[in-house]
Amino acid sequence: MMTQTHITPPGTLDRIMILLERERKTRFAGGLLGYLWAYITPSVWIALIVVLFWALERTAPIHVGLEIFVATGILPYVFFRQTVTSMTRVLSAHRYMLYFQSVKQDEILWATMLLEGFNLIVSAVLIFGATTIIFGAALPASVPGVLFGLCLAWMLGCSFGRFAAFGGQLSDTFARAVPLVLRPFFWLSGIFYVAAELPGRAQELLWLSPFLHITEIIREAYFIGFSSNFADAWYPLAVAAGFYLASVPMERYAKRHRIMRGRL
């Protein structure tokens, strides 16, 4: 008499971890260089901006090294943008996985979000560590505060990325517009300046940029003696929550009408 063997299907967390590993192997194909490329990109950005500062004979607006000042400004923006870029491409890239009834769109997105979060932490440790060793920059005054600021950047990237991912499924025009919308925020994220040196009217306008709040929070935690009267952690959290809530009806509409841009 034959005994039937029942195989328990993987749970949600197991599926997310499987998808994460699949995304990691796909994204970082090509051996060691594939892994390093994720960390080389922000380093090159930082180096180019530091060279630009030197060429313009501009110094950091606060009494810290130019290299660490630029690093604390550019890292949150780079990781926000990388998270959004990854999430907008992942649903179409893994659309065939949705033919398996057990795999859900949210699980694919969560796998990407967790992978980007891991890359963020590793990149921050490597870049801040290298800056400290090479240029003699001081260690962060508050490591938990720096981590909190980086988590805010990651959360904002995840929520906007989710919004952009489902919006892109509904409209090709929307998908093409996302990179264009993100470009101006490079100049609004405080990479080149601190909020206190801006005129009053500019501060009022840039208060609407969640990136400047995040940059000020990170710098306040990183640099001893730097205090920001501008930064408000609740604002980027509220913006992140708003984009997440806005993505929910878009997700439901896409599921109801079986919309999947690029699906076979």
Side-chain angles (χ1 to χ4, degrees):
M1 182 176 179
M2 297 181 63
T3 303
Q4 292 184 348
T5 302
H6 296 281
I7 301 176
T8 304
T12 299
L13 182 58
D14 294 326
R15 289 195 297 270
I16 290 175
M17 297 310 296
I18 292 171
L19 290 167
L20 188 153
E21 181 65 15
R22 184 181 185 86
E23 176 70 4
R24 182 188 66 81
K25 290 181 178 179
T26 302
R27 180 98 58 83
F28 303 126
L32 181 61
L33 183 60
Y35 285 100
L36 292 177
W37 194 251
Y39 312 121
I40 290 173
T41 302
S43 302
V44 171
W45 279 45
I46 293 169
L48 290 175
I49 293 175
V50 169
V51 170
L52 178 62
F53 268 70
W54 287 341
L56 297 175
E57 298 183 349
R58 174 175 166 81
T59 58
I62 57 178
H63 190 60
V64 298
L66 180 58
E67 299 81 12
I68 194 63
F69 177 80
V70 173
T72 54
I74 202 169
L75 278 176
Y77 172 79
V78 168
F79 294 129
F80 163 82
R81 179 157 186 152
Q82 179 59 41
T83 301
V84 173
T85 301
S86 298
M87 293 182 69
T88 52
R89 55 162 285 278
V90 72
L91 290 182
S92 295
H94 297 288
R95 60 189 180 273
Y96 55 87
M97 297 294 294
L98 298 174
Y99 286 104
F100 298 97
Q101 294 183 357
S102 59
V103 177
K104 301 178 178 61
Q105 289 179 324
D106 257 343
E107 293 169 350
I108 296 175
L109 291 176
W110 266 108
T112 301
M113 288 188 284
L114 292 175
L115 180 60
E116 292 302 330
F118 174 78
N119 289 337
L120 185 154
I121 297 301
V122 173
S123 296
V125 170
L126 291 176
I127 291 173
F128 287 149
T131 304
T132 300
I133 294 171
I134 297 172
F135 299 101
L139 293 172
S142 171
V143 173
V146 173
L147 289 175
F148 174 69
L150 292 174
C151 285
L152 285 177
W154 176 74
M155 291 171 63
L156 187 63
C158 291
S159 60
F160 184 79
R162 192 177 193 277
F163 174 81
F166 287 115
Q169 301 306 312
L170 302 179
S171 168
D172 286 332
T173 302
F174 184 98
R176 294 192 184 99
V178 169
L180 300 177
V181 171
L182 293 180
R183 286 176 186 172
F185 287 103
F186 176 81
W187 307 101
L188 305 178
S189 59
I191 296 171
F192 306 96
Y193 51 84
V194 294
E197 67 175 326
L198 298 173
R201 182 57 178 166
Q203 285 193 30
E204 293 176 3
L205 292 174
L206 289 181
W207 194 92
L208 299 174
S209 169
F211 306 103
L212 186 52
H213 289 267
I214 293 172
T215 302
E216 293 274 302
I217 288 170
I218 292 175
R219 284 177 174 158
E220 189 173 34
Y222 206 104
F223 303 129
I224 297 176
F226 175 70
S227 179
S228 174
N229 296 322
F230 178 91
D232 183 353
W234 286 108
Y235 180 67
L237 283 172
V239 173
F243 277 117
Y244 180 85
L245 292 175
S247 71
V248 173
M250 299 169 71
E251 176 190 14
R252 291 177 178 173
Y253 182 87
K255 286 182 177 179
R256 187 181 305 117
H257 295 273
R258 299 180 180 275
I259 297 174
M260 172 56 67
R261 188 170 60 87
R263 187 169 180 172
L264 297 176

